[in-house]
Every structure is written in structure tokens, then in C-alpha cells.
Amino acid sequence: MEQFKGQARLPKFAIPKRYELKLKPDLSACKFTGTLEITVDIVGETKFIVLNAADLSIQDASISFRNLSSNKEFWPSEVVLVEQDEILVLGFYDVLPLGDGILTLVFAGTLNDQMKGFYRSTYELNGEKKNMAVTQFEPADARRCFPCWDEPDHKATFKIELEIPYELIALSNMPVIQEKVDGCLKTVTFQESPIMSTYLVAVVIGLFDYVEDFTPDGTPVRVYCQIGKVNQGKFALDVAVKTLDLYKRYFSTPYSLPKLDMIAIPDFAAGAMENYGLVTYRETALLYDDRHSAAANKQRVAIVVAHELAHQWFGNLVTMEWWTHLWLNEGFATWVSYLATDSLFPEWKIWTQFLDQTTEGLRLDGLAESHPIEVEVNHAREIDEIFDSISYMKGASVIRMLQSYLGAESFQRSLALYIKRYACSNAKTDDLWDVLEEESGEPVNMLMSSWTKQQGYPVVYVKINDNMLEFEQSQFLSSGSPGDGQWIVPLTVCFGSYDTRKNLLLRDKFEKLDMGELMGSSNGIASLMETSSSGGCDVNNPKRSWVKLNVDQTGFYRVKYDDELAVRLRLAIEANCLTATDKYGVLDDSYALCMACKQTLSSLFSLMDAYREEHDYTVLSRLISVSSKVAMVAADAIPELSDEIKQFFINLLHSYAGKLGWEPKSGESHLDAMLRGELLTVLAVFGHDVTQAEAVRRFYAFLDDRNTTLLPADTRKAAYVAVMQTVSISNKSGYESLLRVYRETDLSQEKVRVLGSLASCPDPDIVLEVLKFLMSSEVRSQDAIFGLAGINREGRETAWRWLKDNWDHILKTFGSGFLITRFISAIVSPFSSEEKAHEVKEFFASRTMPSIKRTLKQSIERIHINAKWVQSIRNEESLREVVKELAYRKY
Ligand code: BES
Ligand code: ZN
């Protein structure tokens, strides 16, 4: 059996076809037992059966082969669970017969508290603490609940039966077909599923309420949640019903199961999980409360629901062949979720907000320690780490890039075809490209391989020379180092107006474009003259002479303009000639180039100054993030200018915040509601005294009356952050009041809001108390990461010391999934000196392991990048004057 050890994939001599699974959980003892009958097709000569299992004890195993004349039963001579490889090897005396056999297994396990496999989650009902039993199998934890061929291409049907206390509700992928009560137990039998992958199997057992609705073609959809919270399920229910109908039309394929349940789970490691027919969610991602949820919470619910339902087609019906193609699932679901959300809520301008996804993708992929979209996976342990911004955000962004290159209609037709062709089967990245290539006639495979098989992305340098635009691509790295990648870049260019536009494929390193010729040939001389006077490019008019590449920011690349073009763009932004997406792109590229020391901080500041009249939510939200990050690095580089820099940012941001005020105006937009919260929060952090004082006043009104209209949900985070700015170890009352809010609410979104504000306190001693609180039994381990997000510059050293002192405990509590990686990235990557990078390396030298390896390298690389940036800022000569002018200037 040695030959089976250390393999990435299971051997293929036995193929599972059908699982009949019986589970009997004991919710109070936190244990379960199970029996399995798996129909397996033995397709190769073998004495062994090798499947996955982990953390289970196997009590009995045998295989029988029945035909009309005989029934042969085989008992294994050895049953070995190889913990390291998470496989179960059954060795038999004789070679097994070919054909279908029934493998019977009896096993037992623990309902763990690790939020994976078959686990327990806790909740309170009428003051009493209760357990529920929940499964989370993706990527590779079905094997912790029952032995199985736990790989996505081993699709089989599942017939599930549960034996549970009669008063509980049991849910699984399929509808219940029978319930038999026997004393205080009942046996619940579910209808057999169509073929599906093991990672999508699900079971939930507990006490719940639900709300129900139906799709236009009659599929029942339910939202389950804790008793007493059903009103909070209605929004998600409505989104789900509409989205199912929309996807049915978009993919030209109906939803494939007889029902859809969605359920909020109090302890849940990810945001949500697309189990076939039984989608599980964190409470924050499913429940929406009219009074106490913010607009951002509402949007999150819609996006998450749309994402998980997209998987019912893209992922569940058509499944990736192996985890290397995980991005097909996640990148696609992410992209489609925006499509659905845009159709349901056009006023949210969600495609503009999509740019935050692209930015996150670009941010991670700007690291040398990034990885290609299609990534090699050699061990189950490595899979968790690829649920990252590359698979999701770069994945979704390159899909958007391709869609905009091919056109929406051709793209949709291809997708429908792809779903039809691979339904109930598995597919690889190339299979999708083939279908798209067939349908569009474009060289999709060649184009996209450059984006999915190599890591990184280009920055396109553009220069103007007479009437020629000259392009040059080279790999962009945030460290500023050169990279040697090359891409096929779908370039788009606009000149002075969105009507004058050119699309071309940049296949090589260099390319040129004759602007005059282009305008002459596309519009004719007469129309050229007309365009130049009515909005087209006009070199004599700075507002009309701008050149913008990556129009609408649909491409996954950055652009660096020469000085001349950069000035023209800045003027165009000031004159409000550009769309929100393009304004966002110019700002974000400029920020990234600045970090990579490819342009000065002064030039970034003058660009930022051009956004002083900006009102668009997404653009301002980006401006806020850029300001926060720059304020942090500048405080390390030039502490003596720190106050002035903050003053400049306050100047930029406070006027629109003043217009929005603290309370919603009647009929105001969803986006203004989100913007209000973000603006007030950042102003509080920068120490804007008017905001600060008003925030604290409103907070205390809220503390007296949680239903006061003085502090609507959208503004609470701002108030909480403001309160934490006033807290110190000698004056803890604000902190204690916030803990009261945390303890007294039963709305998870409120708890998360409080957690996210606590560590923003400037007193490191308080930060230490906050960290201790995060690890206490009052905070579910799923939520501790939100507390880390708020750690600021003043607290980071304390947090790092705390991480070192408590590493063993943190590892024990969070080490079994991807949550642990958040501890590392949140605490380590904000540092900005070479000494710190060294210290971190040294600490982890003896503590590294496969599940944190990638994150650790990435976090250390970020420290180097920050350190280099700090140096370059220190060397910038004219910065002082620029900052003084911007800080003291009146708007
Ligand atoms: N398939 C994932 C859930 C998942 C994540 C399982 C990581 C195992 C490991 C699910 O579809 C998902 O992507 N959820 C996201 C939310 C989504 C809106 C981006 C999540 O959990 O954050
Ligand atoms: Zn997903």
C-alpha cells in the first residue's frame, strides 16, 4: 500500500457511482456515527480500494458483488487510515472482480468545533445554549464526515438518511421524502440527488424558522434562520427568487434541483457556501434588518446570494475538473453575481463598484509571490490558500475583460452552450475557451492563456510624440522591480471624447497608433472637424485633448502616461469629462505606480486634488482608501508632515460629507447612504474635530436609545470609530460603552461593526485589551478577524508582539482553515522597515507550514515594498511645499 502515499490524486481503479449515507449525530455529546453503502465500479485490476477519510474511526468495511446467480462478499485484510494523506486504504486478499460492487462502511466521528467537515455551531434559544450540526465540505472536508472519493470529478448520486431527535429540523441538498418517528427519535429520508461532487453535499440539523416563496416556474425557495429572526430573511429570499429566474434565462438552463434552501449558520468560516440545493451562509451575509442593517450590509447580502446561486449552474451543474480550475467556479460566480445584482438594483451602479474587485486582484497580483490563475495543486492542504484575490478577483476581472472584448451577446451564447455541453459533468479552463472560440471565431485560447497561465499583469506606458501614441508593455510589480512577463493586451483608447475610440490587441512589447489617421479614417475629415468642436479630441483645448487608455477599466492592466498626457488627464478630471470608472482607474493606477516608486507622492497629491468636486460613491470610496494608506506610509516616512497630509485629505473629503450630513435625506440614493458612512468614518480617523464631536454626541444618544434616529445604521461605524479615538487606558468609558452595544445586540452585523472599530484606538494598551477580547469566548472565532482589520499604526507593534506571544494558542484556535492567514496578513503586512521584515522572517522560520506559506511570503514582500516606498518618499525634495500648499489652501 506504500504506493498510495504522498499522491495528490486518488488512483482511478474504482469509480464511485452512488452513495447511500446514514448519519446519526449526537448533538449533546458532539459525536456521530454513520453507515455507508457506496456503489463502486471496479474498472481496473486491483486488490486495493483507496478513498479519502480523515478524523474518522472505521468500524467495519466490506465489499460485495451481486449478480443474478451469486453474491460474493470480500472482507479486507487490512484497513489503514493514512492521516498524513487523508486516505483510507482497504487491502483485500484477492483481486476484486470488475464491475459494480457495494462497498459497505461503518464509521464514527466527532462533531468538531473547527467549522469544517461535520461540525457543531451554537446558538441560544430562550436563554438556553443549544448545538446545531452543520457540514462544510469545500474544498476537501467531506472526508471528515464520511469516507468518500473526495475529488470534484468523482461525481455520484447521494441518498441521505438522518436519525435525529424528533423535534429538530433536518435539511439536506434534496427535499425530504419520508419522516418516521420512533420514540423520541425520527428518521428523515431525503430524495436521491442527481450526480454531484462530494464537496457540495450538505446537512444541517437544528431548530429553525423559515420564510418561503416560489420562482415563476414553481420552485420553492426558503430562507431558514434562528427562531425569531425570520423577518430578516425576506430580503435575501426576494433576491434569490429573482436571481434564480434571471440565471435560468441567462444560462438558458433551468435550476436543476426541486427546491432551494438557504440558511444562516451562527458559526461559519467562509462568507457562504453553495452546497447544491442547500446554501449555507454567515448570518451577516444572509440576514437583513430594516432598521439596524446598513446599506452596505444590504448590498453584501445581494451579492453573496447572487454569487452562491450562480454556482448552482457554474460549479454545481458544471464542475471544475480539479482545484487548478477553482477560478472557473469562483471567478465566474463573482463576475455573474455583479451581472445579477446590476439587473436587480441598477441604482447601485454595481459595475462601477466592481472596480474594487479588479483593484484587489491587481494588488495581490502585483506581488512576485502571487500565482497564476491556473495554479498547480499537489496536496489537499494547499487548496485553502487559493481561495484568494487571484481566483476570485483577478478571475472575475479577466472574465470581464474577455466579455467586453467579445461582446455581451456572443459571450452569453457561449456560456449557455458551455453549460449545456458540460452539464452533470466536469470542465477545465480550456474547455470554456474552446466553446468561446467556436462561438466567436476569435482566438480566445491564445488571448486568455497569457492571463490565466502566467502570474502578474502589465503596465502599459503611453507616450505622445507628434500625433503618434506609442505604447510599451512591461510587467508591473509593486516592488518596482522589472518582471519579464508579456501579455496579449486588449487595448482600448479614447481621445478627447468617448465617441473617438480605438480598440487594438497589443501582442508585442511595442505598438504605435497614429491619432490623426485614426480620426480621419474612422470619422472622415468632415466629421473629424465636427467632433473636435463638439466633444472630440482638440489639441488646442486641454479639456478635449485627453487620452485615456483602458476605457471603462475593463482591462486587467495598469497604464502609465507620460507627463504631458498625465497633465491633460488631470485637467479632464477637473473638468469632469471622464466617467466614474475612468476617474477611478486613473487614481488607482497612479496610486499603485506611486507605491512602486514609479511616480512621486507630490504628483499623486496633485492628482488627488483634482477629485475635490467628486460625488461618485465608488470614486470617493477609492479616494478614501488611498488617503488612508498614504497617511499611514507618510507617517512612517515623514512624520513631521503627517498632520498637514491629514489636513489635505480632510480638505478633500469634508465638503461632500458636510452636504450628506448624519441623517438620510428622504429619497436619497443607496450610494449616498454608503458614502455617508465611509466619509464620516475616515474623517473621524483623520481627527476632523467637527465630525469627531458630532459622532460622540450621537453615539451617546444611541447608547440611551438603540432606536434613535440620530444614529442610523449607515453612520454607526463612524461613531464607533470616533468614540474609540477618545479612549485611553485611563479613560475607558467609551470602550466599555461599545462593548455594551456588542453584548446587547443579537444582530451579527452590529457585532461586526463594533469589532471593526475597537482596534482603531490610538492607545496601544487598549489595543492589547481589544486583542484579548477578540480571543475571548464572547467573540465567535469566525469574527475575530474583523477586529484585526481595524488595527492602526499606533497599535501594530503591540499587535505583532501579541501575535508572537500567543502564536501557539492562535494556531490551535484558527489553524485548521484559512482564518489563520488573516492574522498574518493583517498584523504583518502593514510594517514598513527592513528590520521588521527580518524580524518576521526570523520568527516564522521555525513555524512555517503549508497552509500559511504563501500568505507569509506575500506579507513579507509587502513589508519590503512599504520600506522601499518610505525611502523614496523621504528622498522626495519638493514634497514639503506641495503638502503645505494643499493643506492650507481654502476650497
Ligand atoms: N465556495 C465558496 C465558499 C468557500 C470559500 C469554501 C473558501 C471553501 C473555502 C463560496 O462560493 C464563496 O465564494 N463565498 C464567498 C462569498 C462570495 C460572495 C465572494 C466567501 O465565503 O467569502
Ligand atoms: Zn464562490
Side-chain angles (χ1 to χ4, degrees):
M1 61 149 288
E2 284 304 312
Q3 71 268 33
F4 306 121
K5 290 189 178 170
Q7 301 294 314
R9 313 265 303 243
L10 294 169
K12 299 236 188 259
F13 37 60
I15 309 293
K17 289 161 66 173
R18 173 177 191 266
Y19 291 79
E20 210 173 309
L21 170 65
K22 296 185 180 158
L23 290 171
K24 184 178 176 185
D26 179 338
L27 269 59
S28 34
C30 297
K31 288 186 173 137
F32 66 92
T33 55
T35 61
L36 251 181
E37 286 185 9
I38 313 176
T39 310
V40 281
D41 186 6
I42 308 292
V43 293
E45 217 172 68
T46 180
K47 281 185 171 180
F48 294 97
I49 290 183
V50 185
L51 63 166
N52 294 110
D55 301 339
L56 294 175
S57 77
I58 307 297
Q59 292 158 349
D60 199 15
S62 65
I63 184 163
S64 64
F65 295 83
R66 235 167 272 167
N67 58 31
L68 286 175
S69 55
S70 69
N71 181 11
K72 274 200 179 152
E73 191 136 13
F74 297 76
W75 278 272
S77 55
E78 55 172 353
V79 177
V80 184
L81 232 167
V82 187
E83 282 294 342
Q84 175 73 21
D85 296 316
E86 304 183 345
I87 53 170
L88 172 65
V89 183
L90 307 175
F92 296 87
Y93 295 103
D94 299 312
V95 169
L96 298 171
L98 295 183
D100 283 358
I102 306 278
L103 173 66
T104 304
L105 292 158
V106 180
F107 55 93
T110 309
L111 282 179
N112 69 71
D113 59 358
Q114 301 286 310
M115 297 183 281
K116 63 181 198 178
F118 201 12
Y119 73 94
R120 60 179 188 267
S121 172
T122 57
Y123 60 105
E124 260 186 32
L125 187 65
N126 306 324
E128 205 184 314
K129 203 171 161 197
K130 294 197 174 286
N131 286 338
M132 61 172 86
V134 187
T135 55
Q136 167 61 40
F137 290 167
E138 196 184 16
D141 293 316
R143 61 190 69 174
R144 279 166 225 283
C145 179
F146 58 95
C148 56
W149 278 259
D150 200 8
E151 294 181 358
D153 65 338
H154 282 300
K155 288 193 173 188
T157 65
F158 288 83
K159 172 119 201 245
I160 296 176
E161 197 179 287
L162 302 172
E163 205 179 317
I164 56 169
Y166 77 96
E167 74 278 10
L168 297 184
I169 290 179
L171 301 170
S172 183
N173 309 89
M174 298 294 286
V176 174
I177 46 169
Q178 196 184 50
E179 273 201 21
K180 264 203 286 198
V181 179
D182 180 6
C184 50
L185 289 180
K186 67 179 174 188
T187 306
V188 183
T189 312
F190 299 91
Q191 191 181 323
E192 184 163 335
S193 77
I195 65 163
M196 59 191 276
S197 306
T198 48
Y199 79 89
L200 293 168
V201 172
V203 164
V204 179
I205 301 151
L207 282 170
F208 312 103
D209 265 351
Y210 68 83
V211 276
E212 182 178 45
D213 198 356
F214 297 86
T215 63
D217 46 11
T219 307
V221 181
R222 291 180 179 179
V223 172
Y224 283 85
C225 58
Q226 277 182 57
I227 289 167
K229 292 192 180 180
V230 277
N231 275 335
Q232 298 174 10
K234 289 182 178 160
F235 175 68
L237 181 64
D238 188 47
V239 171
V241 165
K242 290 181 176 145
T243 306
L244 281 182
D245 190 48
L246 188 130
Y247 289 152
K248 173 188 161 187
R249 285 181 279 123
Y250 189 78
F251 294 122
S252 307
T253 303
Y255 172 63
S256 46
L257 296 188
K259 61 94 177 166
L260 172 72
D261 292 326
M262 313 203 290
I263 183 164
I265 308 291
D267 300 272
F268 197 82
M273 174 64 212
E274 70 267 25
N275 312 300
Y276 220 169
L278 173 56
V279 183
T280 43
Y281 295 81
R282 271 186 189 234
E283 290 191 348
T284 49
L286 186 68
L287 304 182
Y288 173 77
D289 183 282
D290 277 336
R291 273 205 111 112
H292 299 286
S293 298
N297 297 131
K298 185 176 196 175
Q299 192 177 292
R300 169 84 181 151
V301 169
I303 290 270
V304 180
V305 169
H307 176 109
E308 303 311 332
L309 299 195
H311 279 313
Q312 306 301 312
W313 284 258
F314 229 97
N316 300 7
L317 185 59
V318 179
T319 310
M320 73 228 142
E321 186 257 349
W322 178 241
W323 299 105
T324 296
H325 308 284
L326 172 72
W327 85 280
L328 270 187
N329 263 12
E330 298 305 350
F332 224 88
T334 300
W335 177 79
V336 177
S337 71
Y338 280 75
L339 194 87
T341 307
D342 187 47
S343 150
L344 262 52
F345 306 99
E347 68 283 10
W348 293 359
K349 300 195 182 139
I350 205 76
W351 280 116
T352 311
Q353 298 190 52
F354 180 85
L355 295 182
D356 288 340
Q357 302 282 314
T358 308
T359 290
E360 272 307 302
L362 292 167
R363 201 172 91 84
L364 181 52
D365 213 22
L367 298 182
E369 294 291 350
S370 176
H371 62 83
I373 283 185
E374 293 182 62
V375 55
E376 204 179 306
V377 172
N378 292 312
H379 193 283
R381 282 284 111 76
E382 296 171 8
I383 307 171
D384 265 331
E385 265 196 313
I386 58 173
F387 285 82
D388 63 2
S389 309
I390 298 299
S391 304
Y392 282 77
M393 295 159 175
K394 182 181 184 182
S397 303
V398 301
I399 288 163
R400 176 160 179 259
M401 176 163 74
L402 180 63
Q403 189 223 22
S404 86
Y405 179 73
L406 295 177
E409 276 155 33
S410 155
F411 197 72
Q412 178 183 354
R413 274 197 308 276
S414 310
L415 288 185
L417 195 63
Y418 169 84
I419 295 284
K420 283 230 155 56
R421 191 174 293 173
Y422 294 98
C424 301
S425 175
N426 295 80
K428 301 184 292 296
T429 304
D430 288 352
D431 296 329
L432 176 61
W433 300 157
D434 287 349
V435 176
L436 282 155
E437 191 155 327
E438 238 174 80
E439 174 66 37
S440 69
E442 294 281 338
V444 176
N445 218 313
M446 181 186 71
L447 171 69
M448 294 309 287
S449 293
S450 80
W451 296 93
T452 62
K453 292 197 195 307
Q454 73 181 328
Q455 75 179 58
Y457 57 88
V459 49
V460 175
Y461 290 87
V462 51
K463 279 197 292 211
I464 187 154
N465 222 338
D466 285 335
N467 233 3
M468 295 295 273
L469 284 181
E470 298 176 5
F471 309 114
E472 176 186 348
Q473 65 158 305
S474 77
Q475 180 167 2
F476 179 84
L477 286 168
S478 296
S479 62
S481 313
D484 50 13
Q486 193 163 313
W487 287 263
I488 301 179
V489 191
L491 275 190
T492 48
V493 192
C494 269
F495 312 94
S497 140
Y498 285 99
D499 298 331
T500 317
R501 175 176 169 145
K502 171 86 178 165
N503 299 349
L504 67 157
L505 275 188
L506 174 62
R507 291 166 188 267
D508 301 313
K509 195 163 173 61
F510 301 97
E511 187 64 77
K512 279 186 186 172
L513 189 65
D514 185 334
M515 289 169 74
E517 199 175 285
L518 168 91
M519 288 164 53
S521 67
S522 62
N523 297 332
I525 293 298
S527 59
L528 167 66
M529 291 170 66
E530 200 182 309
T531 8
S532 28
S533 56
S534 70
C537 184
D538 174 359
V539 281
N540 298 318
N541 177 349
K543 286 182 197 161
R544 296 241 182 90
S545 62
W546 53 270
V547 171
K548 170 75 179 52
L549 267 71
N550 199 2
V551 182
D552 238 359
Q553 296 298 121
T554 51
F556 194 74
Y557 57 92
R558 298 203 182 277
V559 182
K560 167 103 174 79
Y561 298 89
D562 71 5
D563 291 348
E564 156 89 35
L565 290 173
V567 170
R568 293 192 199 175
L569 260 181
R570 181 159 53 76
L571 294 173
I573 289 167
E574 272 174 353
N576 210 15
C577 297
L578 300 193
T579 57
T581 42
D582 284 332
K583 281 185 278 189
Y584 181 110
V586 173
L587 174 65
D588 193 51
D589 282 354
S590 186
Y591 164 66
L593 288 159
C594 185
M595 185 192 295
C597 311
K598 300 284 181 207
Q599 75 173 63
T600 60
L601 190 55
S602 331
S603 69
L604 176 64
F605 282 165
S606 3
L607 178 69
M608 287 169 83
D609 190 43
Y611 291 78
R612 58 188 176 271
E613 305 278 328
E614 186 57 58
H615 289 186
D616 180 86
Y617 163 73
T618 313
V619 178
L620 273 175
S621 171
R622 192 70 208 129
L623 193 65
I624 291 169
S625 329
V626 167
S627 305
S628 310
K629 176 76 198 208
V630 169
M632 176 128 148
V633 173
D636 285 339
I638 34 172
E640 68 283 6
L641 287 181
S642 206
D643 287 344
E644 273 100 347
I645 290 175
K646 281 189 197 154
Q647 188 55 50
F648 164 47
F649 294 155
I650 291 173
N651 291 348
L652 273 184
L653 300 168
H654 89 278
S655 78
Y656 199 56
K659 283 202 190 95
L660 288 174
W662 277 84
E663 288 160 47
K665 313 259 174 323
S666 84
E668 76 171 11
S669 73
H670 166 86
L671 294 175
D672 275 346
M674 292 211 297
L675 188 52
R676 168 182 297 116
E678 289 182 28
L679 280 170
L680 293 172
T681 306
V682 73
L683 288 172
V685 172
F686 286 154
H688 182 238
D689 38 14
V690 179
T691 305
Q692 180 69 35
E694 190 59 18
V696 173
R697 182 179 81 83
R698 286 173 186 264
F699 175 73
Y700 284 102
F702 170 71
L703 202 61
D704 281 347
D705 169 15
R706 299 305 147 81
N707 289 316
T708 176
T709 53
L710 287 178
L711 197 64
D714 294 306
T715 53
R716 281 183 208 161
K717 173 82 183 285
Y720 300 168
V721 166
V723 166
M724 283 314 292
Q725 305 311 302
T726 68
V727 171
S728 66
I729 202 77
S730 52
N731 175 13
K732 289 178 23 177
S733 76
Y735 176 45
E736 278 151 10
S737 305
L738 272 170
L739 290 182
R740 237 178 82 199
V741 174
Y742 180 87
R743 288 175 179 137
E744 287 171 10
T745 181
D746 72 340
L747 184 69
S748 304
Q749 288 154 348
E750 190 72 75
K751 286 192 192 288
V752 167
R753 210 147 41 213
V754 175
L755 289 178
S757 68
L758 296 180
S760 71
C761 182
D763 184 340
D765 292 333
I766 293 289
V767 173
L768 190 61
E769 284 202 19
V770 170
L771 291 166
K772 285 184 190 149
F773 176 70
L774 294 179
M775 301 298 283
S776 74
S777 60
E778 284 192 76
V779 180
R780 292 183 191 265
S781 47
Q782 61 166 15
D783 290 334
I785 47 170
F786 297 115
L788 304 175
I791 296 173
N792 58 17
R793 200 172 155 270
E794 288 84 0
R796 70 186 175 193
E797 187 58 48
T798 306
W800 167 233
R801 212 170 325 116
W802 171 84
L803 184 81
K804 288 191 287 185
D805 292 346
N806 295 281
W807 178 249
D808 292 341
H809 178 60
I810 295 171
L811 191 63
K812 214 169 96 219
T813 319
F814 301 95
S816 70
F818 51 82
L819 290 176
I820 187 85
T821 62
R822 307 285 167 87
F823 279 77
I824 298 173
S825 53
I827 293 181
V828 167
S829 53
F831 283 117
S832 62
S833 72
E834 290 301 331
E835 300 81 73
K836 256 320 178 265
H838 182 71
E839 200 183 309
V840 171
K841 253 186 244 164
E842 225 162 47
F843 177 76
F844 281 107
S846 58
R847 293 176 177 86
T848 176
M849 43 189 197
S851 57
I852 61 167
K853 212 168 123 200
R854 210 186 273 282
T855 308
L856 192 60
K857 284 186 179 165
Q858 290 165 348
S859 303
I860 293 171
E861 188 181 350
R862 286 200 198 284
I863 307 183
H864 291 305
I865 292 166
N866 291 338
K868 201 167 157 204
W869 191 13
V870 161
Q871 279 310 328
S872 122
I873 294 175
R874 283 188 188 145
N875 295 335
E876 214 178 301
E877 274 166 16
S878 57
L879 189 57
R880 178 172 307 271
E881 291 82 84
V882 173
V883 169
K884 298 252 180 222
E885 195 206 315
L886 291 169
Y888 299 117
R889 153 138 153 226
K890 289 276 163 279
Y891 287 95

